[in-house]
Amino acid sequence: MAQWTSAVGAAQLARLLKSQQDRPAGPGTRRPPAYRALADGIRLLVLEGRVPVAARLPAERELALSLSVSRTTVAAAYEALRAEGFLESRRGAGSWTAVPAGNPVPARGLEPLPPEALGSIIDLGCAALPAPEPWLTRAVRGALEELPPYAHTHGDYPAGLPALRSMIAERYTARGIPTMPEQIMVTTGAMGAIDAICHLFGGRGERIAVESPSYANILQLMREAGARLVPVAMAEGLAGWDMDRWRQVLREAAPRIAYVVADFHNPTGALADEDQRRRLVEAARSAGTVLVADETMSELWLDDGVEMPRPVCGFDPAGSTVITVGSASKAFWAGMRIGWVRAAPDVIRSLVAARAYADLGTPVLEQLAVNWLFSTGGWEQAVELRRHQARQNRDDLVAAVRRELPEWEFAVPRGGLTLWVRAGGLSGSRLAEAGERVGLRVPSGPRFGVDGAFEGYVRLPFTVGGAVAEEAAARLAAAARIVESGGTVGAEGPRTFVA
């Protein structure tokens, strides 16, 4: 019986490998033999989760043709991977990817490290800050005071607590977007909201247009749902959306859904202006595409004088094109798994009906906590504290990276939680691997792209500041030196760092 559960075609694997090889070599880089470079490339793809574990690899002859190398080179690479525990084979069943015994199975998205690992590893993988106290504690206490009447019910509210739905609707209305509670569904975080939308509108095999780059966990969610991702390149730097490209993709590919982050885009930090928002809504309406606008970063402006454009849904007065997703997880705390959807009432009814086969509803206590924050003014004070933390962390991290890695390129965003960095011609995948060996966890650019794009980038979140930011930049520079030299980390390994 075959041990593989999926398959990677020769052409697909060749594209993924080529994205690594296209980056210019750093000064002094030692070029390994062709078979070793191929084995290293496949191993990196497995370690990053871009080729799943237990995925059947192409036959040696097929891959050799796609890569324009000899079959002997592929055979030697496969043999090296088998010796290292990254490949298993059986006569008649082919070869499939594996991980050596004792190694964790790679994740295909971005997940936080367990707390016990934080003493020796600086985690730049997860763009989330600690809770803004004392507001979390106050919100939970306020929620407990409001809980008794709900404790006498069954506790299942598929559309969300009526009080919270009304409060969210009022907040949209205050922003100039008239909204009724019937247009709101409370979800388990923004991920839960987008998962529900994809299942309602996407369907297996449906096209979904996405920014390129885009948020890694959402891309993986859509892949797991069986969507066919259609990438639309972002403009350079912080310029945001390229509307000519968007119009062309929406017109020619006719995707069922388009997913965008217009407010301090993850990972680039770009902020779409009102003209871009208006034109994108018009293009989506013309193409019959449902436009999903992710607003999870919308309250995280960090600089004085930032003028926030109208929400994307403000350019869709009929409510027939735009579905908006919001969340407490970025602006407040990732542990507060409360998100919401704003859409036309008929869409909300369909989402609520489908929820009976998913998670039934969102935890009542957390909904009450968010409602307490909204109704008491605690939200605004907590978010202002969050802005202060993120602003200081951003400035510290930018200064440290510029000092340690002056040749790396990036534009400093005026909001959000992430810095999108071109890594001086180095492979982001190899930097991520080297970073793990020196005690730094950093996500590589390809996690935020489709089919190996952005190999020359890494994403750095504003989650550490002060001495920790300086240490993170120093470790990143150490990882860069390892990649440049083709060498290995010194015998001392990563040092323990206590914040």
Side-chain angles (χ1 to χ4, degrees), residues 82-100:
R82 278 190 287 269
E84 296 164 4
F86 286 95
L87 195 69
E88 297 181 9
S89 303
R90 180 175 299 169
R91 185 178 299 277
S95 299
W96 56 92
T97 56
V99 292

Side-chain angles (χ1 to χ4, degrees), residues 210-214 231-247 260-261 265-273 276 279-280 410-411 420-422 454 457:
V210 295
E211 295 147 327
S212 183
S214 186
V232 186
M234 297 281 287
E236 284 295 316
L238 299 177
W241 299 337
D242 185 324
M243 288 313 306
D244 290 337
R245 290 174 178 164
W246 271 102
R247 276 196 301 270
V260 297
V261 185
H265 174 260
N266 187 354
T268 69
L271 175 64
D273 61 33
Q276 290 172 323
R279 293 165 65 191
L280 182 60
F410 52 84
W420 186 236
V421 181
R422 182 180 283 124
F454 308 110
Y457 289 79

Side-chain angles (χ1 to χ4, degrees), residues 156-455:
D156 287 336
Y157 295 87
L161 295 184
L164 181 55
R165 296 176 72 195
S166 296
M167 183 61 67
I168 294 171
E170 289 176 14
R171 291 174 64 84
Y172 277 107
T173 301
R175 295 167 68 189
I177 314 296
T179 303
M180 303 179 295
E182 291 79 11
Q183 292 177 263
I184 301 296
M185 180 177 82
V186 181
T187 62
T188 308
M191 292 288 289
I194 294 170
D195 182 56
I197 293 167
C198 287
H199 280 88
L200 181 63
F201 289 98
R204 187 162 293 276
E206 290 280 3
R207 294 184 180 92
I208 300 180
V210 295
E211 295 147 327
S212 183
S214 186
Y215 178 38
N217 285 345
I218 293 296
L219 294 180
Q220 190 56 31
L221 182 155
M222 292 173 176
R223 292 187 188 102
E224 297 290 345
R228 299 163 61 190
L229 300 183
V230 182
V232 186
M234 297 281 287
E236 284 295 316
L238 299 177
W241 299 337
D242 185 324
M243 288 313 306
D244 290 337
R245 290 174 178 164
W246 271 102
R247 276 196 301 270
Q248 180 181 3
V249 167
L250 294 178
R251 181 176 63 249
E252 296 178 359
R256 186 71 182 92
I257 299 173
Y259 169 76
V260 297
V261 185
D263 302 292
F264 306 118
H265 174 260
N266 187 354
T268 69
L271 175 64
D273 61 33
E274 291 211 356
D275 182 61
Q276 290 172 323
R277 296 168 190 239
R278 179 185 299 105
R279 293 165 65 191
L280 182 60
V281 172
E282 291 171 354
R285 185 182 297 117
S286 297
T289 296
V290 175
L291 182 61
V292 180
D294 185 334
E295 286 191 336
T296 53
M297 298 281 191
S298 64
E299 295 189 64
L300 290 177
W301 63 85
L302 304 183
D303 293 338
D304 294 335
V306 176
E307 294 187 12
M308 292 300 296
R310 276 186 294 167
V312 176
C313 59
F315 300 94
D316 180 37
S320 59
T321 299
V322 178
I323 297 177
T324 302
V325 172
S327 171
S329 298
K330 295 297 185 185
F332 186 75
W333 184 47
M336 188 68 76
R337 304 305 305 160
I338 298 295
W340 52 85
V341 178
R342 181 198 181 276
D346 61 319
V347 172
I348 295 297
R349 286 192 294 271
S350 297
L351 289 170
V352 171
R355 198 169 193 180
Y357 308 102
D359 62 357
L360 292 178
T362 301
V364 169
L365 188 62
E366 293 184 25
Q367 292 187 71
L368 289 172
V370 171
N371 193 59
W372 184 92
L373 288 165
F374 285 158
S375 60
T376 62
W379 177 267
E380 284 72 23
Q381 295 182 66
V383 172
E384 182 55 40
L385 176 59
R386 169 67 74 238
R387 293 191 195 107
H388 175 76
Q389 293 171 325
R391 182 187 307 116
Q392 187 62 57
N393 287 353
R394 179 198 63 181
D395 295 346
D396 291 348
L397 187 64
V398 164
V401 172
R402 282 177 170 164
R403 181 174 58 253
E404 296 285 347
L405 295 154
E407 71 279 10
W408 287 21
E409 303 171 53
F410 52 84
V412 181
R414 304 190 69 190
L417 290 173
T418 57
L419 192 68
W420 186 236
V421 181
R422 182 180 283 124
L426 301 178
S427 161
S429 299
R430 297 182 188 279
L431 283 166
E433 181 195 30
E436 295 277 356
R437 293 150 61 192
V438 298
L440 178 71
R441 185 169 179 264
V442 58
S444 68
R447 287 185 177 272
F448 304 88
V450 178
D451 275 350
F454 308 110
E455 182 61 52

Side-chain angles (χ1 to χ4, degrees), residues 74-151:
V74 177
Y78 278 14
E79 182 57 36
L81 290 168
R82 278 190 287 269
E84 296 164 4
F86 286 95
L87 195 69
E88 297 181 9
S89 303
R90 180 175 299 169
R91 185 178 299 277
S95 299
W96 56 92
T97 56
V99 292
N103 283 37
V105 176
R108 305 193 73 189
L110 302 176
E111 74 293 334
L113 283 174
E116 61 269 18
L118 297 179
S120 59
I121 297 178
I122 298 176
D123 185 10
L124 296 185
C126 187
L129 289 162
E133 289 287 28
W135 297 107
L136 175 62
T137 299
R138 292 179 182 178
V140 172
R141 287 174 178 165
L144 288 172
E145 292 177 0
E146 299 293 330
L147 183 61
Y150 296 94

Side-chain angles (χ1 to χ4, degrees), residues 43-116:
R43 177 173 54 83
L44 278 174
L45 293 174
V46 173
L47 287 172
E48 286 228 311
R50 289 190 284 143
V51 168
V53 175
R56 186 180 186 275
L57 295 187
E60 295 170 1
R61 189 185 303 277
E62 294 175 26
L63 186 57
L65 288 171
S66 292
L67 294 174
S68 298
V69 299
S70 70
R71 182 177 178 182
T72 302
T73 296
V74 177
Y78 278 14
E79 182 57 36
L81 290 168
R82 278 190 287 269
E84 296 164 4
F86 286 95
L87 195 69
E88 297 181 9
S89 303
R90 180 175 299 169
R91 185 178 299 277
S95 299
W96 56 92
T97 56
V99 292
N103 283 37
V105 176
R108 305 193 73 189
L110 302 176
E111 74 293 334
L113 283 174
E116 61 269 18

